[in-house]
Every structure is written in structure tokens, then in C-alpha cells.
């Protein structure tokens, strides 16, 4: 089955930016700390002002997942989607995707 992963940072399809939702999910499941949540909040502030270097941040974040199995990442992302993202997909997003 083909898969796609993306972050809706400007709330086009989801009522809350998904980067924040994922950071909260990782905190709630013991996979991340408060510092991670605060870091994402800072990055979202930079994004709002057009100052975020997204490729640099993406590279940094992906480095934190080194050594994590694909199976674990898949299950974790699916869990986050079911619990946090799906209930927040906006109606217009459902109509267009």
C-alpha cells in the first residue's frame, strides 16, 4: 500500500498544525519531552513570521529518528493520526482529499 506523510503547518486541512500534534503525541507516549514540544512551538512561531528554515529543521528532526525501526515509526504515525489528526480534519479538507 502506498503511503504519504506530511505536516499541515498552515492548517489548510487540519484545524491544528500537525507538527504540534505530533510533538504532543510523542510527549504523551513518553517518546519526547517538554523541550521537544517547546521547540516545535518555537519553530511554528518562526514559520508564522516566514523565518523557518524548513529543510534545515527537517534534517535535524530526522536525525533524532536514526535507529528507529520503520515498523515502529509506521505504528506511531498511524496512532497519532487516528488519535490526534483525523478528528481535526476540517470539513473542506475532507471534501478535497
Amino acid at each position: 500500500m502506498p503511503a504519504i506523510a506530511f505536516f499541515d503547518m498552515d492548517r489548510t486541512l487540519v484545524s491544528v498544525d500537525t507538527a504540534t500534534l505530533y510533538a504532543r503525541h510523542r510527549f504523551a507516549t513518553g517518546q519526547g519531552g517538554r523541550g521537544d514540544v517547546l521547540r516545535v512551538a518555537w519553530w511554528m512561531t518562526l514559520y508564522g513570521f516566514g523565518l523557518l528554515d524548513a529543510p534545515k529543521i527537517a534534517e535535524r528532526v530526522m536525525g533524532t529518528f536514526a535507529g528507529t525501526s520503520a515498523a515502529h515509526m509506521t505504528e506511531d504515525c498511524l496512532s497519532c493520526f487516528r488519535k490526534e489528526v483525523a478528528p481535526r480534519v476540517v470539513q473542506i479538507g475532507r471534501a478535497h482529499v
Side-chain angles (χ1 to χ4, degrees), residues 66-77:
T68 305
S69 74
H72 174 77
M73 286 299 301
T74 299
E75 183 53 40
D76 188 48
C77 289

Side-chain angles (χ1 to χ4, degrees), residues 38-82:
L38 292 172
R39 193 172 301 110
V40 170
W42 172 244
W43 292 337
M44 293 311 301
T45 300
L46 293 175
Y47 176 81
F49 287 106
L51 301 172
L52 182 73
D53 183 349
K56 181 179 176 182
I57 298 302
E59 186 175 334
R60 178 178 176 182
V61 171
M62 293 311 296
T64 66
F65 295 107
T68 305
S69 74
H72 174 77
M73 286 299 301
T74 299
E75 183 53 40
D76 188 48
C77 289
L78 286 173
S79 173
C80 179
F81 179 79
R82 287 184 200 112

Side-chain angles (χ1 to χ4, degrees), residues 3-97:
I4 184 168
F6 67 93
F7 286 101
D8 181 12
M9 295 168 54
D10 61 0
R11 296 178 227 130
T12 305
L13 300 174
V14 182
S15 62
V16 178
D17 73 87
T18 54
T20 298
L21 291 178
Y22 189 60
R24 289 179 186 170
H25 168 78
R26 290 186 50 82
F27 177 75
T29 58
Q31 299 177 78
R34 287 186 183 129
D36 298 318
V37 175
L38 292 172
R39 193 172 301 110
V40 170
W42 172 244
W43 292 337
M44 293 311 301
T45 300
L46 293 175
Y47 176 81
F49 287 106
L51 301 172
L52 182 73
D53 183 349
K56 181 179 176 182
I57 298 302
E59 186 175 334
R60 178 178 176 182
V61 171
M62 293 311 296
T64 66
F65 295 107
T68 305
S69 74
H72 174 77
M73 286 299 301
T74 299
E75 183 53 40
D76 188 48
C77 289
L78 286 173
S79 173
C80 179
F81 179 79
R82 287 184 200 112
K83 293 176 185 175
E84 305 294 339
V85 179
R88 292 175 173 91
V89 174
V90 295
Q91 203 57 30
I92 196 161
R94 292 180 192 277
H96 287 91
V97 176

